[in-house]
Amino acid sequence: MVNDNSKTAEISRLKSPLKYRDYKVYDSLGNEVKCFESFSDLKYIVEPDSSILSEDEILEYAPLSKEASKVRLKRGVGSSSDVMRINDSLPWILGLYYTISICISIPAVYSGNRLAMFFILILAVLPLLYLYYIFKLKQYVDKSIRQVNKSRFNVFKSQKAKSTEGLESLKKYAAEIEELKTIFESKEIAVRELIEKRFEPPQITYDKFMSTIDKSHELFYNEAESALNITRLAVEDTPKVDSEIENKINTLKSIIDQIEDLTNELVINMNSEDNSQEDLKILVDDMENLIDSVKEYK
């Protein structure tokens, strides 16, 4: 079992400034730090000790490390950039491989040797198959997480099937709610991407915005599911039932509108600094007020 002192020391090492000496980079303990190099970037990133820190702590204190990329891929939330970070030497290996292949293929092309040309073609295709394999993100996902995701998907399918049940007169509401869910999903993805671009983590502002989006996500789907349950389970179409569903639909629309307003503000002020902070803060406060008001209503 890892003691608190070891964990504190490891976190301190990750957060301490790097030291430059004799054209090399070292962490606070004097360990040499290897660089992560791409075609357009060069970074020195301290790798965490996975035997000391938990996966959540690795994501928090070393989000740009290879270990963090492995955790994200394992959890099914990784991206191609995480694959590239783990395989950072791959571009240079491929470059060398194809350079040698081209040099070998020149004599074969000029000689017209079809068998040699066919062999060279296979050599050219093999790295592409390998790239296809390593960039297939699903293969990294932990088996237990796959089972959880599969279970969630089955639940979602079951719930979606149930949305067609209930009174015929209420099915129009169910269809509208499903449409709003699709709209919200696309807008949520867009605003999260913009927040990441506008406020590169880790920042307090980034955490504040993402926390608000998380709360909006939870509220939206809670309200959507609650409204769908009414359309499925109501045994009689009364003005009270219609009013309750419509109130929830209006809440869904309000959340979408505020997400859209925040997205537009982020796009407009993508490259500005202080002059946009107040407008963004007001929009986030409005979202928080909406969330609080719905919770109080409940």
Side-chain angles (χ1 to χ4, degrees), residues 16-22 24-31 33:
S16 297
L18 299 176
K19 299 177 182 178
Y20 299 84
R21 186 175 67 252
D22 299 329
K24 293 183 179 180
V25 179
Y26 301 89
D27 63 17
S28 60
L29 299 181
N31 302 314
V33 179

Side-chain angles (χ1 to χ4, degrees), residues 7 48-63 65 67-72 74-75 142 145:
K7 186 170 291 189
D49 189 336
S50 58
S51 65
I52 296 177
L53 300 182
S54 66
E55 291 184 350
D56 289 334
E57 289 167 336
I58 289 173
L59 292 176
E60 180 178 357
Y61 297 107
S65 65
E67 289 297 325
S69 291
K70 293 176 182 177
V71 172
R72 284 190 289 269
K74 174 184 174 183
R75 294 184 175 185
D142 184 75
I145 296 177

Side-chain angles (χ1 to χ4, degrees), residues 127-144:
L128 300 179
L129 295 175
Y130 178 69
L131 287 174
Y132 173 79
Y133 170 75
I134 66 170
F135 280 98
K136 192 175 181 181
L137 300 180
K138 289 184 179 179
Q139 67 165 305
Y140 298 96
V141 181
D142 184 75
K143 185 177 180 180
S144 62

